[in-house]
Amino acid sequence: MNISIIGTGYVGLVSGTCLAEFGMNVTCIDNNSEKIKNLNDGIIPIYEPGLESLVKKNINEERIKFVTNLSDGIKNSEAIFIAVGTPSRIKDGHADLSFVFKAAEEIANCLNGYTVIVNKSTVPVGTGKKVFDIIKKKNKSVEFDVASNPEFLREGSAINDFMRPDRVVIGCESLRAKKILSEVYRPLYLLETPILFTKRETAELIKYAANSFLATKITFINEIADLCEKVGANVSDVSIGIGLDGRIGKKFLHPGPGYGGSCFPKDTLALVKTAHDYNSQLGLVEHVVRSNDLRKKNNINLIKKASVNKLNGKKITILGLTFKPNTDDMRDSPSLILIPKLLDEGCSISAYDPEGLESAKKVFDDKRISWFDETYSAMVDSDILVILTEWNQFRALDFKKVKRLLKTPTLVDFRNIYNPKEMKEIGFNYFSIGRPEELFL
Ligand code: UGA
C-alpha cells in the first residue's frame, strides 16, 4: 500500500516510520529541504528513543523515503496524511490552521484519482469539512474523501504508542475511505486494538477532549497537592488512594510544576476557543488553563521557601529543562518561566539536561546561566539543587557526593522522586510538592 505523509514533525515522522515498519510504502514530504536531505541520510531532527534506528532500517529496506516535492510525493498514494503543525495563534489562542489549508490546496492541485486525505494534525471540529471544501473548489472532477485520524502518541514513548495504541480513532463517512483506512491499520487488528469509526467531527473532538481531560486530571491533583500542604496531608497517598478506584485510574495523577509540551497547553486553549465560538460552556477547561499558567508562575515560591526568602545572590542548580523526560522539546516547559524569574531575583543558574541542552541554549541567551554536560558538575558550590524534570538519571543520585558538591544540602524536588523521610535522615533540607514537612519529622 502506498501512503504519503505531509509534514515531518513529531507526528508525521513517527507515524510515517511506524507505517513503513508495518510494511507500507511511505513517502514523507516536507518543504524544508535541509531537513529532507538529513532524513534521507538518517539524521533525525528530534530526540525520540528508538526513532533513529527505525528510520535507518526502513530507509535501507526501501519502505520509506523523504522528498520535498508534493506532487511527486503523493503520486499513486491511496492515503495522504496531513501531519503539519497547528500552533496556537499568538493573537487569539485559536489553532493556526494555515499549514493545514496550504497542504489541502497543494494536494488539490495534484490529485488525479480517488484518494483519502487524512487529517492527523490536531485540528478543531469542522476542519475536515473545510479541507474537503478547499479541495473540491480547486479540483471539481476528482473523487476523494477527507477523514480525521487523530494521533495519541506521547513524546518519549512515541514509537510504542503508535505500534501498541490503546485505540485508533477514525472519523469518516464513506465506505471507500473506511476500507482503505482499515487496511492501513490492519497490522493492529492482530493486537486486538480497538478501532473506533465515528463521524469526522466526533473524531476531531475526541482528540481535544482526550488531551483536555488528561490536563484536567493533572491540574486536579496539582490543586489537591496545594491543599495537602495546607492541611497536612500527603498527596502521594491521595493519588494512590483515589487512583486505585478503577473509575478514576492511577495514571496522570502525579503532581508537579504544571504540564507543558507542544500539546496540552495549545489544545486546552484551542478547545476553550471552540467552545466560545459555539457559545458553549467549558468553564472547567478554562479554569485548567488558568490554573496551570498560574502554577508555572508560582513554582518560584517553593525555591524561595527553600532559600528562607533570600534568593538574591544564590546559585541554583536546575536539573531537567525539557517539559518531560526522554525528549529534547522545550515547548511550554516550566523551566521557561522559572529560570527568568530566578534570574530576576538575582540568582545565578547552573543547568543540565540530558537531551535538551542545545534547545535550551537557543532559548536562554544569558551570561548568568552556566551550562553543564553532566549531572554532578552542575552542582558544584550551589546553594540549592532543583529537580525540575524527572529524567531517569536524576532518580538515584549519589547523595554523599551531592552533599560534598553543594554549598548547603538543600533539594527542591518538583517531581516527588525522593522520599522526604529518607532525605531528612541523610541531612538534606528537602522540599517537594504536596508532602508537608511535619508529616515526616
Ligand atoms: C500528550 C498526550 O499524553 C498524548 O496522548 C497526545 O497524543 C499528545 O499530548 C499530543 O497531543 O500530541 P505529551 O505532550 O507528549 O503527550 O506528554 P505527556 O506525557 O502527556 O505529558 C504532558 C505534560 O504533563 C508534561 O509536562 C508532564 O510532565 C505532565 N504530567 C503528566 C504531569 O505533570 N503529571 C502527570 O501525572 C502526567
Side-chain angles (χ1 to χ4, degrees):
M1 184 168 206
N2 294 327
I3 287 175
S4 51
I5 309 224
I6 303 176
T8 56
Y10 238 102
V11 171
L13 189 55
V14 171
S15 310
T17 308
C18 292
L19 289 172
E21 182 67 12
F22 284 163
M24 328 257 158
N25 293 317
V26 178
T27 306
C28 291
I29 306 158
D30 200 297
N31 54 14
N32 182 334
S33 51
E34 196 188 334
K35 202 173 178 191
I36 290 297
K37 186 188 169 303
N38 283 340
L39 281 165
N40 277 317
D41 292 338
I43 301 167
I44 310 298
I46 47 172
Y47 173 76
E48 178 62 36
L51 184 60
E52 187 173 325
S53 58
L54 213 57
V55 170
K56 284 183 176 155
K57 176 174 175 245
N58 282 282
I59 292 176
N60 288 340
E61 292 170 10
E62 295 184 356
R63 281 192 302 268
I64 194 164
K65 61 179 188 232
F66 300 94
V67 304
T68 48
N69 187 306
L70 189 131
S71 73
D72 286 349
I74 65 169
K75 214 173 263 163
N76 302 324
S77 289
E78 286 161 81
I80 303 171
F81 287 82
I82 301 179
V84 296
T86 53
S88 288
R89 250 181 355 213
I90 293 164
K91 62 177 180 348
D92 57 11
H94 271 289
D96 179 353
L97 297 175
S98 53
F99 301 110
V100 174
F101 295 152
K102 189 164 172 280
E105 291 198 5
E106 287 178 28
I107 292 169
N109 291 331
C110 309
L111 279 189
N112 53 16
Y114 179 79
T115 317
V116 192
I117 291 98
V118 192
N119 245 330
K120 228 183 203 322
S121 302
T122 299
V123 291
V125 182
T127 306
K129 164 90 174 63
K130 288 183 182 157
V131 167
F132 183 90
D133 291 345
I134 289 172
I135 299 175
K136 194 79 204 157
K137 197 169 159 202
K138 283 214 153 212
N139 194 337
K140 293 201 171 51
S141 56
V142 77
E143 286 187 281
F144 68 99
D145 277 301
V146 174
S148 162
N149 171 217
E151 189 44 67
F152 301 102
L153 53 83
R154 289 161 300 169
E155 293 186 18
S157 53
I159 308 273
N160 190 58
D161 288 347
F162 193 95
M163 301 279 207
R164 288 169 206 81
D166 290 338
R167 80 303 205 183
V168 170
V169 172
I170 297 171
C172 71
E173 281 134 57
S174 94
L175 277 178
R176 219 168 166 187
K178 190 172 173 183
K179 199 162 160 254
I180 289 180
L181 289 169
S182 300
E183 198 57 34
V184 170
Y185 287 105
R186 180 191 290 280
L188 295 178
Y189 282 90
L190 278 178
L191 300 173
E192 296 180 11
T193 304
I195 313 252
L196 181 65
F197 284 95
T198 68
K199 261 193 86 192
R200 197 169 51 204
E201 285 72 17
T202 309
E204 290 171 338
L205 193 54
I206 285 173
K207 170 69 191 185
Y208 282 98
N211 274 0
S212 298
F213 189 83
L214 291 169
T216 302
K217 216 174 163 187
I218 297 168
T219 301
F220 176 80
I221 203 64
N222 282 340
E223 292 190 351
I224 291 289
D226 292 345
L227 183 60
C228 283
E229 278 166 24
K230 292 190 175 129
V231 301
N234 182 342
V235 71
S236 302
D237 290 341
V238 174
S239 290
I240 296 168
I242 63 173
L244 283 170
D245 183 330
R247 292 169 302 175
I248 296 173
K250 59 185 180 191
K251 292 184 180 163
F252 278 67
L253 284 179
H254 302 289
Y259 60 76
S262 64
C263 306
F264 288 172
K266 147 178 102 65
D267 294 349
T268 44
L269 200 58
L271 187 62
V272 164
K273 296 290 170 188
T274 301
H276 281 175
D277 287 352
Y278 287 85
N279 206 7
S280 190
Q281 282 295 321
L282 209 58
L284 182 61
V285 185
E286 275 179 44
H287 173 78
V288 167
V289 172
R290 268 199 311 274
S291 172
N292 195 63
D293 286 347
L294 191 64
R295 186 165 198 86
K296 287 181 178 164
K297 288 184 189 137
N298 286 341
N299 281 331
I300 191 166
N301 293 340
L302 194 58
I303 306 181
K304 273 190 183 155
K305 189 174 166 196
S307 75
V308 205
N309 282 324
K310 285 185 199 126
L311 271 181
N312 190 12
K314 291 275 173 8
K315 185 167 169 183
I316 316 283
T317 296
I318 310 267
L319 296 182
L321 303 164
T322 51
F323 79 100
K324 63 183 265 187
N326 294 323
T327 178
D328 56 0
D329 199 339
M330 291 286 298
R331 283 176 286 179
D332 271 313
S333 175
S335 66
L336 296 177
I337 311 259
L338 179 63
I339 290 178
K341 280 192 177 289
L342 287 169
L343 293 173
D344 284 350
E345 292 283 341
C347 299
S348 62
I349 307 281
S350 298
Y352 170 63
D353 187 282
E355 293 295 334
L357 274 187
E358 288 317 308
S359 332
K361 282 180 194 170
K362 281 183 207 146
V363 184
F364 298 111
D365 181 18
D366 196 303
K367 291 203 166 47
R368 292 167 294 176
I369 306 176
S370 310
W371 305 101
F372 292 85
D373 54 11
E374 185 273 325
T375 310
Y376 293 99
S377 45
M379 297 179 195
V380 176
D381 283 338
S382 267
D383 297 282
I384 299 174
L385 173 62
V386 175
I387 297 179
L388 198 51
T389 313
E390 70 281 29
W391 284 86
N392 275 343
Q393 40 275 74
F394 307 149
R395 287 175 185 270
L397 293 175
D398 173 351
F399 280 108
K400 278 195 187 136
K401 191 170 170 183
V402 175
K403 222 171 166 180
R404 274 201 313 274
L405 295 174
L406 292 176
K407 227 187 271 169
T408 43
T410 303
L411 172 59
V412 178
D413 176 1
F414 277 100
R415 301 288 181 167
N416 289 0
I417 297 176
Y418 289 102
N419 179 314
K421 193 160 185 286
E422 285 170 17
M423 292 311 296
K424 213 162 199 64
E425 279 164 9
I426 57 174
F428 268 78
N429 304 314
Y430 177 75
F431 300 84
S432 60
I433 308 276
R435 302 185 297 176
E437 285 153 65
E438 69 269 18
L439 285 176
F440 304 96
L441 288 176

